[in-house]
Amino acid sequence: MSHHPIGEHAFLSDLHSAALVDRDGTVDWLCFPRFDSASVFGALLDDTAGEWRLGPRQQADISRRYLDRSLALETTFTTRGGTVTVTDALTLGEDPGGHLLGRDAPHTLIRIARCVEGEVGMQMSFRPRPEYGLAVPLLRRTETGVATWGGPDQLTLSTPVPVETSDGQATATWMMAAGQEACFTVQWTRSWENDPEVWTAETVRQQLQMTVERWQAWSRQHQAYDGPWSDLVHLSGRVLQGLTFEPTGAVVAAATTSLPESVGGERNWDYRYAWVRDASLTMNALWVAACPDEADAFLRWMVGSAAADLRDGGQLQIMYGVGGEHDLTERELTHLRGWRDSRPVRVGNAAWGQRQFDVFGELLDATHRLREQIGDLDQPSRRFLTDCADAAAQWWPEPDQGIWEMRSPPQHFLYSKLMCWVALDRAIDLASWLDADDKVAGWEQVREQIRDAILSDGWNERAGAFTQSFGSEVLDASALMLAITGFLPAGDQRMQATIAAIEEHLTDQRGLVYRYEHATDDGQEGREGTFLLCSFWLAHCHALAGDVARARDVFERAIAPRNDLGLLAEQVDPTSGELLGNFPQAFSHVGLVNAAWAISRAERENRP
């Protein structure tokens, strides 16, 4: 299982947890009850770490789709004897009070098998392995199936077919004829709680219908984008919403940990936390893809998690747990061999202790765009956002680890300086809303200082481009953000030279963009794939420059690696073309949304 391609997976979410389902009907990643909880199925990272398989016993042709405007998955297996569908969903529960999507999610994964033609031999294998596979639970019989026994959590499997149990595994085989249906559930509870209420087949069907309808209602209410690639933009909006932890409004960078940036490599990180940068960019993209009414929840989460960090000249931590946790200490799970033997497998992320000064800019930029959705600010929120602008003004001259979280010595990264400029630029425009008019003169002065420094020290004559850091000749795709943020017009001669240099030196044979030149000392061993966000940035810049044909070409290249459902990981292997890195990746879907929107605007502006 741990050798199956990353891109063969589907993504399920109840806005608390995420599951990945392989094409053959195997759930090989699921964390309950939060995105960053220990996995209960983890075969994605090691065969021994648990899975839940449901599908035909014989070889089958397979097709998949999400049910209309939802994240409920339907997989169709066509065998020589007949056809069966398996529909999977992390249920959203009932909505008795008009709550936000996911508020009442019951921590339940449902699976419904239906034989639609002929006769099909089926098999089911339930092999839970809590705590990232460390625990092999005992299984006790229940009236409708089995439940795990031992450890802090309990998983209760309800099954309509008899099962055999052995060594912490429940299995079943049976025949299905046309018109027959089998409904399965796995419910999560704490081990000291009473057994959950058993869902009948009718309840399972109702829960599926409610889940699909709630996704559809959210899509109808929020997804108004009607430009090019609207299906992909709307899907990306649902994926980004699915990566949102509804109880707090935090947004995780991806649903997984330790999927590598190169096969067999050690650039394997845990992305199941809320980076200020990633979450802010996600909220910004949702303005296009879904017009979020969750923007105020995200800001409340930020204020509650981070406001104290900025007091008395402090720094904003770059990432937090989805509940606002600060300590995300990184450790290795040495008992797991990793996807395709890509060790180490990590949980936690040491980058939480880095200094990355760009976060002020992303946060204030998202706030600037989402101002209407946020509405009136309370005093703590005004103070927090004002403190972010003050921190950008204070810290911009200092070196940091930058957007790519280098594990080498700090540098004066151009992108970090740029986003400090963005923080002040947006804060100046928001000053009255922030009740901070008295700070505008000082912010304007520092903004101009940063601008002068970028134009003089960020440009490198020998490279003929804006480069990764002041005084460096190393090319970095993040320089494309100079145009996207409005610091310089995309048609500016220096921006055009930078775009040309990145296309010449930072792209692979598919036209996809690397983050930076391979010779860069980033404090890590090995190499990585092309970075999809950067490829979308390139398309975005061409659109801003008015070259719509070129923008479309780059955009099509960037979406080409998507899987059959439209999902994207973080990177692409430059040799094989397969998806690499954690999955699905918010950054990639953010880039898709923003680039499509930029192309749409450019086409409208160029119409006669």
Side-chain angles (χ1 to χ4, degrees):
M1 286 301 306
S2 60
H3 289 251
H4 287 196
I6 293 168
E8 285 194 357
H9 291 86
F11 168 61
L12 308 179
S13 171
D14 60 4
L15 281 74
H16 293 252
S17 313
L20 297 187
V21 187
D22 209 339
R23 283 180 58 83
D24 66 359
T26 302
V27 180
D28 60 8
W29 183 255
L30 174 61
C31 299
F32 272 143
R34 300 188 349 173
F35 292 108
D36 56 355
S37 298
S39 65
V40 295
F41 302 130
L44 180 67
L45 297 176
D46 193 298
D47 291 349
T48 65
E51 65 197 19
W52 184 15
R53 165 94 165 93
L54 176 62
R57 295 200 299 268
Q58 56 268 65
Q59 187 174 357
D61 293 328
I62 301 171
S63 62
R64 303 183 296 178
R65 67 185 181 107
Y66 282 123
L67 298 181
D68 184 34
R69 292 171 294 173
S70 79
L71 289 183
L73 174 72
E74 180 186 83
T75 305
T76 300
F77 299 94
T78 303
T79 71
R80 298 181 69 177
T83 299
V84 67
T85 64
V86 175
T87 304
D88 299 322
L90 279 168
T91 57
L92 297 176
E94 298 183 18
D95 185 22
H99 291 153
L100 295 175
L101 191 67
R103 175 71 57 84
D104 305 304
H107 307 303
T108 299
L109 174 60
I110 61 174
R111 315 194 73 183
I112 302 175
R114 293 188 181 96
C115 186
V116 297
E117 184 180 35
E119 191 175 57
V120 179
M122 297 291 291
Q123 61 182 350
M124 190 278 298
S125 173
F126 173 71
R127 189 165 58 89
R129 294 294 183 267
E131 297 185 74
Y132 300 110
L134 273 177
V136 179
L138 301 173
L139 295 181
R140 61 179 176 84
R141 294 278 183 172
T142 67
E143 290 184 4
T144 59
V146 295
T148 62
W149 180 36
D153 303 323
Q154 175 177 287
L155 295 178
T156 302
L157 169 70
S158 293
T159 165
V161 296
V163 296
E164 297 181 357
T165 60
S166 176
D167 299 325
Q169 180 173 345
T171 59
T173 59
W174 74 103
M175 296 297 297
M176 294 189 76
Q180 291 183 333
E181 180 181 85
C183 297
F184 301 82
T185 65
V186 163
Q187 297 168 280
W188 173 90
T189 54
R190 295 295 184 189
S191 60
W192 58 84
E193 296 176 340
N194 294 329
D195 286 352
E197 180 182 351
V198 174
W199 287 4
T200 65
E202 180 60 26
T203 301
V204 173
R205 288 190 289 268
Q206 290 174 352
Q207 287 286 333
L208 173 63
Q209 182 178 350
M210 282 190 293
T211 295
V212 172
E213 288 178 350
R214 292 186 69 183
W215 275 112
Q216 290 173 340
W218 179 87
S219 298
R220 285 193 302 270
Q221 181 180 355
H222 297 296
Q223 298 199 296
Y225 175 84
D226 62 354
W229 305 286
S230 59
D231 287 349
L232 287 178
V233 170
H234 291 163
L235 171 66
S236 292
R238 289 190 290 276
V239 169
L240 295 175
Q241 185 70 12
L243 292 171
T244 302
F245 185 63
E246 196 282 332
T248 64
V251 184
V252 297
T256 57
T257 179
S258 301
L259 296 182
E261 298 173 6
S262 61
V263 178
E266 60 181 53
R267 295 173 182 247
N268 317 322
W269 317 110
D270 193 346
Y271 277 13
R272 299 170 300 151
Y273 306 108
W275 273 253
V276 177
R277 172 193 311 112
D278 299 49
S280 298
L281 291 173
T282 295
M283 296 307 295
N284 218 330
L286 279 171
W287 180 82
V288 176
C291 300
D293 56 10
E294 293 85 357
D296 58 342
F298 167 69
L299 184 57
R300 285 197 303 273
W301 171 78
M302 277 300 314
V303 174
S305 301
D309 295 352
L310 292 176
R311 297 300 168 86
D312 303 318
Q315 300 171 21
L316 188 66
Q317 189 165 304
I318 70 160
M319 57 193 287
Y320 300 89
V322 294
E325 297 85 359
H326 284 59
D327 185 356
L328 305 178
T329 300
E330 183 175 295
R331 62 189 176 94
E332 296 182 8
L333 302 180
T334 56
H335 66 286
L336 298 179
R337 71 174 188 262
W339 182 82
R340 293 190 186 171
D341 295 318
S342 301
R343 286 189 174 99
V345 173
R346 296 180 171 98
V347 294
N349 197 306
W352 73 274
Q354 289 189 354
R355 301 200 310 176
Q356 297 174 23
F357 300 138
D358 62 289
V359 295
F360 307 118
E362 284 105 1
L363 179 57
L364 278 160
D365 188 50
T367 302
H368 185 266
R369 174 172 276 190
L370 294 163
R371 176 177 174 176
E372 291 185 5
Q373 281 76 28
I374 293 171
D376 294 333
L377 288 177
D378 57 21
Q379 193 278 334
S381 297
R382 291 196 300 270
R383 173 66 184 273
F384 172 69
L385 293 169
T386 300
D387 286 347
C388 283
D390 285 342
Q394 174 186 353
W395 292 106
W396 81 267
E398 299 295 322
D400 70 349
Q401 264 73 35
I403 180 176
W404 307 132
E405 301 182 347
M406 302 288 191
R407 299 201 174 192
S408 51
Q411 300 179 52
H412 289 279
F413 288 104
L414 178 142
Y415 181 81
S416 298
K417 313 298 185 188
L418 168 65
M419 296 313 292
C420 286
W421 178 91
V422 168
L424 295 170
D425 183 73
R426 303 325 188 240
I428 290 166
D429 195 51
L430 294 172
S432 296
W433 189 55
L434 299 176
D435 195 19
D437 288 321
D438 59 319
K439 291 182 173 287
V440 169
W443 287 345
E444 287 178 336
Q445 182 179 6
V446 179
R447 181 182 63 175
E448 293 311 304
Q449 291 173 0
I450 300 174
R451 182 176 184 84
D452 291 343
I454 290 174
L455 293 177
S456 61
D457 299 332
W459 175 264
N460 187 282
E461 286 292 343
R462 293 186 63 180
F466 288 102
T467 53
Q468 184 177 78
S469 57
F470 285 4
S472 169
E473 297 180 25
V474 174
L475 292 174
D476 191 307
S478 64
L480 296 169
M481 287 295 289
L482 288 164
I484 294 171
T485 60
F487 181 89
L488 281 176
D492 181 275
Q493 184 176 359
R494 291 161 295 183
M495 275 308 309
Q496 285 293 300
T498 301
I499 292 169
I502 288 171
E503 288 196 297
E504 181 178 357
H505 299 291
L506 287 187
T507 56
D508 69 356
Q509 69 271 20
R510 294 178 175 83
L512 300 179
V513 182
Y514 292 98
R515 290 192 289 183
Y516 43 79
E517 293 180 290
H518 291 308
T520 304
D521 178 14
D522 57 10
Q524 305 166 54
E525 295 295 327
R527 298 178 65 173
E528 63 177 19
T530 51
F531 204 83
L532 284 169
L533 174 64
C534 298
S535 302
F536 288 118
W537 280 348
L538 181 60
H540 196 151
C541 283
H542 282 305
L544 290 173
D547 190 347
V548 176
R550 181 61 181 149
R552 276 186 162 272
D553 178 64
V554 174
F555 187 94
E556 290 288 350
R557 292 172 184 268
I559 63 174
R562 69 190 186 278
N563 72 4
D564 56 318
L565 296 168
L567 301 176
L568 294 167
E570 181 182 47
Q571 301 187 17
V572 177
D573 188 298
T575 302
S576 68
E578 72 173 320
L579 292 168
L580 294 174
N582 285 307
F583 181 88
Q585 177 75 12
F587 253 178
S588 298
H589 288 278
V590 164
L592 184 156
V593 168
N594 287 333
W597 181 63
I599 293 170
S600 176
R601 291 182 66 195
E603 289 180 336
R604 288 197 303 269
E605 291 169 359
N606 291 342
R607 279 187 199 134

